[in-house]
């Protein structure tokens, strides 16, 4: 059965119900109950002495919620529960797990706009991107349920025999409790793919969200528990990163570790984790994603796709387009049209329907933006457009920025910036473009604009990235959908080689047991 994606906005649009979409999102904003306190979710709800406030990047006088400041003892308690509940959960029927998963997807659909509003308040995503993230989350639930079903719980009789009376079955089995650590930029979808990847396959999961965005993860775990996932199978702990890493470093009860975040943190944690004992880990890390525009490109698509890929959610996507290599004959025209497109972008409060670009996540991202713009200039680059911070003490608005003429010796060509800064370079041909595209440690996504099939094939065959697109107008390197574009990175952008939302993802959370019986 082909997988069907949620695609809310496109559906409303095609049915001529755009106004209803906007009304529903605005109702979601009203349901938020800003300032409420949220507990840890262990066997019971737990409230601690130490707490922290999460303020919205939209306006830092808005308190999104008050959360418990846990420490390693709370992570250990969650782990103890995860170990206890693993005994029964790992023996549960996969059909039961599929059923629960589909129930959560339905519950999420019912609460779609509250979840989307939560993302907008937590990390400043505009409404289209927030609803798309909830859609992606629902897709993960439905897709992994379908995958487990199609694979009959990954139980497969073996056809080979070496003697009469021999019967073999391959059974994929879980490992035990997993620690899940998620980033701020997809606080719902990415927390969901890792958490569900673990528990739908019979593992248990302790979820530690980003301290900038703990509410989306709270709602996720809360909905899973309400739908019937047993207590302890999934738990939720808010604490500083260092507290959870102390447990990773020292506790052999952690059977597996799933992390999405920066390369620096991910690599450091992984090394320490496997030093104690080699164990499975799922890592999705940063990117420095290239787009190539050849002289055979449809210029309108190339400009729109690059603009959306680079500046959707302010470049704060691991898949954001951050480098563009343009063939000489069309370079002048491309940057002229790109500049005009970028200058039309509406920057402001992401709760408003016309806003394309909301604030950066926090002050340190704003400082980073300033530093990189200065560095681009001192390294010899020129600002084609943007470069300024919108001075406002209560939020973190910056202009989408395009840098040209930056000498290739600048370290900015290789470093993930994670703010809305795009570097554009003229190249002599496709071969040079692909060489430069590959000249980084990362290998997450990549895009090309060319109407020539031979060029597209050359690009796909030679570019080093886990997700590649040709002529994608909705975002040259961004916007992967579960069941359509499995999402994961090569080189320093990943670890397992099995992409999220794809046919092999769940295998990262499983180990094979070959069972043979003799008559
Ligand atoms: P980050 O690495 O700063 O943080 C990620 C998570 O790790 C957070 O929960 C954080 O609290 C935790 N953490 C930080 N330091 C820690 C420590 N010392 N010990 C234990 N935990 C620690 O990343 P971020 O800023 O939240 O997210 C942005 C990064 O994530 C970018 O590099 C982006 O490319 C990457 N990302 C990758 C993907 C992907 O699928 N490849 C998706 C989204 C984001």
């Amino acid at each position: 059965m082909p997988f069907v994606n949620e695609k809310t906005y496109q559906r409303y649009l095609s049915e001529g119900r755009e106004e209803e979409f906007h009304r529903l999102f605005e109702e979601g904003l009203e349901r938020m109950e800003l300032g409420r306190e949220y507990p840890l979710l262990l066997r019971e709800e737990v409230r601690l002495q130490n707490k922290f406030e999460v303020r919205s990047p939209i306006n830092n006088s808005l308190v999104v919620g008050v959360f418990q400041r846990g420490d390693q003892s709370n992570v250990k308690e969650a782990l103890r529960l995860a170990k206890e509940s693993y005994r029964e959960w790992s023996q549960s029927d996969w059909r039961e797990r599929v059923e629960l998963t589909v129930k959560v997807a339905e519950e999420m659909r019912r609460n779609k706009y509250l979840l989307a509003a939560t993302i907008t308040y937590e990390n400043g995503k505009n409404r289209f991107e927030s609803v798309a993230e909830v859609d992606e989350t629902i897709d993960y639930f439905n897709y992994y349920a379908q995958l487990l079903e199609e694979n009959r719980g990954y139980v497969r009789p073996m056809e080979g025999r070496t003697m009469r009376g021999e019967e073999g079955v391959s059974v994929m089995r879980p490992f035990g409790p997993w620690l899940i650590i998620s980033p701020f930029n997809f606080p719902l979808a990415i927390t969901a793919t890792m958490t569900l990847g673990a528990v739908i396959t019979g593992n248990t999961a302790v979820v530690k969200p980003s301290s900038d965005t703990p509410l989306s993860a709270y709602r996720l775990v809360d909905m899973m528990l309400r739908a019937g996932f047993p207590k302890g199978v999934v738990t939720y702990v808010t604490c500083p990163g260092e507290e959870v890493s102390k447990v990773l470093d020292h506790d052999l009860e952690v059977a597996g570790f799933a992390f999405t975040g920066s390369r620096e943190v991910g690599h450091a944690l992984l090394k320490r984790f496997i030093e104690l004992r080699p164990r499975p880990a799922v890592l999705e890390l940063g990117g420095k994603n290239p787009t190539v525009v050849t002289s055979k490109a449809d210029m309108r698509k190339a400009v729109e796709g690059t603009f959306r890929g680079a500046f959707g959610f302010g470049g704060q996507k691991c898949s954001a387009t951050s480098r563009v290599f343009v063939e000489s004959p069309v370079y002048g025209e491309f940057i002229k049209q790109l500049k005009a497109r970028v200058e039309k972008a509406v920057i402001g409060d992401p709760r408003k329907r016309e806003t394309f670009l909301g604030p950066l996540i926090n002050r340190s991202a704003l400082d980073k933006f300033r530093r990189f713009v200065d560095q681009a200039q001192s390294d010899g680059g020129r600002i084609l457009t943007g470069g300024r911070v919108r001075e406002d003490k209560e939020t973190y608005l910056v202009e989408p920025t395009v840098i040209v003429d930056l000498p290739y010796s600048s370290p900015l060509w290789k470093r993930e910036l994670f703010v809305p800064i795009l570097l554009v370079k003229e190249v002599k041909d496709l071969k040079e473009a692909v060489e430069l595209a590959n000249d980084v440690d990362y290998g997450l996504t990549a895009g090309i604009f060319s109407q020539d099939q031979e060029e597209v094939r050359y690009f796909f065959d030679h570019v080093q990235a886990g997700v590649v697109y040709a002529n994608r107008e909705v975002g040259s390197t961004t916007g992967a959908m579960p069941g359509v574009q499995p999402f994961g990175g090569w080189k320093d952008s990943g670890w397992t080689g099995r992409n999220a939302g794809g046919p092999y993802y769940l295998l990262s959370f499983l180990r094979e047991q070959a069972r043979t019986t003799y008559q």
Side-chain angles (χ1 to χ4, degrees), residues 370-383 403-407 409-412:
R370 276 207 187 91
R371 270 203 320 276
F372 290 146
V373 169
D374 289 349
Q375 186 182 344
Q377 290 171 291
S378 59
D379 286 355
R382 178 169 66 84
I383 297 175
I403 305 285
V404 292
D405 303 336
L406 180 68
S409 53
S410 169
L412 296 178

Side-chain angles (χ1 to χ4, degrees), residues 140 180-186 190 193 208-213 239-246 248 257 259-266 268-269 272 283-289 315-320 361-362 368 416-418 442 444 487-489 492-494 500:
Y140 280 131
I180 312 289
I181 302 182
S182 57
F184 79 84
N185 64 340
F186 283 81
I190 287 181
T193 186
K208 201 298 286 176
S210 162
S211 301
D212 281 320
T213 55
C239 68
E242 305 77 59
E243 292 297 313
V244 79
S245 59
K246 283 181 199 155
L248 266 182
F257 163 50
F259 174 89
T260 305
S262 61
R263 170 180 64 174
E264 289 63 32
V265 175
L269 293 179
R272 282 145 56 185
L283 264 73
E284 298 297 344
L285 307 171
K288 186 73 183 172
N289 311 297
Q316 301 173 111
K317 294 185 189 176
C318 47
S319 57
I361 184 69
N362 54 30
K368 218 167 57 164
E416 184 184 49
L417 307 182
F418 228 60
Y442 295 107
L444 188 51
F487 190 81
D492 283 4
S493 296

Side-chain angles (χ1 to χ4, degrees), residues 23 48 84 109 126 153 166 229 255 257 262 349 390 440 457 491:
R23 183 177 56 71
L48 304 171
E84 236 172 70
R109 202 173 271 144
N126 73 32
E166 184 179 51
F229 278 88
F257 163 50
S262 61
D349 187 330
R390 296 274 170 97
V440 288
R457 179 156 345 120
K491 295 156 78 176

Side-chain angles (χ1 to χ4, degrees), residues 291 293 306 310-311 322-326 331 334-335 338 382 384 401-407 413 421-427:
T291 289
V293 180
T306 302
F311 300 121
S322 58
R323 302 174 293 148
V324 189
F325 301 110
V326 190
Y331 177 77
F334 177 79
I335 59 169
L338 182 65
R382 178 169 66 84
L384 178 73
T401 301
V402 181
I403 305 285
V404 292
D405 303 336
L406 180 68
W413 281 107
I421 298 179
L422 177 69
L423 313 178
V424 186
K425 181 171 170 50
E426 185 175 348
V427 292

